[in-house]
Each structure stands twice: as C-alpha cells, then as structure tokens.
Amino acid sequence: MLRKIKRDLDHYYLHQVGGAFFYAIMLSLALNYFWLPGHVYSSGFTGLAQLIDTLTGGKVNVAWAIAIVNMPLLVLAWLTLSKRFAIFTAMAVLLSAAFVPLFATKTVLTPDPLINAIFGGGINGMAVGTALRCGVGTGGLDIIGMELKHQFRMKVGSVNLAFNALIMIGAGLTYGWQYALYSIIGVVVSAHFIDVFYTHQQQIQEMIVTNKPEEMTDTIQNKMRRGVTIIDSAHGGYTGRDRSILLTVVTQHELPELRHAIKEVDPHAFYSESKVEHTGGRFYEPEP
C-alpha cells in the first residue's frame, strides 16, 4: 500500500516537473524565434518583462526581468495559496529565465509580424495550457487571478484585460501602433490555445441512465469527489422498464475517469454529456 502511494506521488510530482520544463522550453522558443524578431509583445508578465528590457535599453534583459517581476508574487503564493504550487511555479519561472538566453538566436524565420504573432501566441498558449494542466502555474497573472478568486471571489477577466492593455500600449509606443495590433492578435491566439490545452476549467454535465444508481453514486463520490443528483422512477420509453437518472458535473480533464467509472459499474448504462457555461453553489475545486 505504501509503495503504491509513493509511486503515485512520484508520478504526480514528475508530471509537474515535466510541465515546468515544457513551459520553459516552449516559452523560450516563442520568445526568441517569434516575438523578439517580429517586435511582438506577449501578454501578462512575459510582456512586462519584454517592456522592461526595451525601456532599459537591454540593461535589464528579458530573462532577468521575468525572474524579478515574478519574485514578489511567488512569495505571496507561498504565504497565501499553496507551498507546493509556489515551488513548482517558481521552478517554471526560473527555468524560463534560464532557458531564454540559452535558446537565444540570430536566426529570423520570418520578418512578418503577423506570422510571428500567430505562431508565437500559439506556442505560448500551448505551453501555458499544458503547464496549468500539469498543476504548474506560470507566474504573474496566474497568481494574481488565483489570489483574487481565493481571497475575494472576484472574476479576473477585467484585471487581465487592463494589464494586457497597458502592455499593448507599451508595444504601440515602442515599435508603432501596428505592432500593438499584431500583439493583440498574438494574445487572442494564445488565449484560444490555453483553453484548448487547459481542460480543468471546462465543465461538463453528465447525465447517466442506469439501474444501479447507488453503486454508481458511491463510485463517483468516492473516486472523484463529485456530487451526484439522483432522479428516481424514470421510465424507459423503449424497454418499458424503470431506471434512475444521475446528474453530475465534472471537468473536461476528469471525463476519461468518469467514463471508466460508468463502464465499471454498469456497462449497459446510457450517458450523455453537455458543456456547462456556469455553475453555482459548491463545485469542488482542488487546491493548487
């Protein structure tokens, strides 16, 4: 039993370490091969680091700026959120600061700022979404968003929008307003790819029709820590038999586990899935 727990923990932490390395490498590629050659700014604190590098004439380069601007927030995450989350987020940030100069290149794949914005944004979104899926924060606005949600139950969309607007203004003042517009395109592409790869935030409602409601409920609640609502005395129009309908909401990331649980309890159960726009009440969210 103890060996199994240790093996699961080792796998979990290896997953997070891999996410931190993947994020750092992909961010460095996006920055060196697309954003810097195309004069395109990233969103969030990476964009702030680029702006600091520009305003200081390179005296504080992007790598140092990434580390410096994130340090106060990493301390805040350590004190108020989760020490594990703070450690792995710090790993992702520091690896990024180390890999940016390591992947530095004079090679220009294309001078077209639009292509640089699209591909840089896509790579960054994939990196951020994958890191978050592995339970690793990327610093900056991730920590601010979690703090506002944790402490004040606030939505962070307006905060992100205002912060990124300042970065885009900086891009416009530095390189010209057309580059600010290209940067906005990159931000939109990045946000789309984050949604594609970060499936924890996407909620799915599952409707299950079964003749084993109690067993199904126990399995879902014990294995997944998800609440289940049971609707009894449903009547099958084709079979003429009584069934129970179970309703539960899980994240996109949990769907494979839920499907496996359904088939394990009742291989003949009918189930359907639909996306959820919003949930209220107590929807369990694991600590970061």
Side-chain angles (χ1 to χ4, degrees), residues 129-166:
T130 302
L132 293 173
R133 185 170 181 171
C134 293
V136 179
T138 59
L141 292 179
D142 287 351
I143 297 175
I144 292 175
M146 294 184 69
E147 285 287 349
L148 291 175
K149 185 176 181 180
H150 179 70
Q151 299 290 344
F152 306 105
R153 303 293 178 184
M154 290 176 57
K155 294 183 178 180
V156 298
S158 58
V159 176
N160 290 353
L161 182 62
F163 188 90
N164 288 325
L166 293 176

Side-chain angles (χ1 to χ4, degrees), residues 34-35 37-40 110-120 178-179 181-183 185-186:
F34 296 101
W35 288 332
H39 302 307
V40 175
T110 174
D112 189 328
L114 179 59
I115 294 177
N116 284 310
I118 292 173
F119 279 87
Q178 72 272 26
Y179 290 100
L181 299 177
Y182 290 131
S183 297
I185 293 173

Side-chain angles (χ1 to χ4, degrees), residues 137-218:
T138 59
L141 292 179
D142 287 351
I143 297 175
I144 292 175
M146 294 184 69
E147 285 287 349
L148 291 175
K149 185 176 181 180
H150 179 70
Q151 299 290 344
F152 306 105
R153 303 293 178 184
M154 290 176 57
K155 294 183 178 180
V156 298
S158 58
V159 176
N160 290 353
L161 182 62
F163 188 90
N164 288 325
L166 293 176
I167 301 300
M168 297 307 108
I169 291 172
L173 293 173
T174 304
Y175 295 120
W177 293 108
Q178 72 272 26
Y179 290 100
L181 299 177
Y182 290 131
S183 297
I184 291 172
I185 293 173
V187 170
V188 172
V189 172
S190 179
H192 173 73
F193 273 78
I194 290 173
D195 288 339
V196 170
F197 283 87
Y198 181 40
T199 55
H200 286 70
Q201 64 182 353
Q202 300 169 20
Q203 297 175 353
I204 303 295
Q205 177 176 277
E206 193 88 3
M207 183 185 75
I208 308 165
V209 181
T210 179
N211 59 359
K212 299 180 179 180
E214 301 299 334
E215 293 178 46
M216 190 76 72
T217 299
D218 289 342

Side-chain angles (χ1 to χ4, degrees), residues 23 52 70 85 98 118 135 158:
Y23 168 75
I52 291 173
N70 278 288
F85 175 78
I118 292 173
S158 58

Side-chain angles (χ1 to χ4, degrees), residues 94-127:
L94 295 177
L95 284 173
S96 300
F99 286 170
V100 166
L102 186 64
F103 284 89
T105 179
K106 294 182 179 179
T107 302
V108 177
L109 298 179
T110 174
D112 189 328
L114 179 59
I115 294 177
N116 284 310
I118 292 173
F119 279 87
I123 292 173
N124 180 67
M126 178 175 62

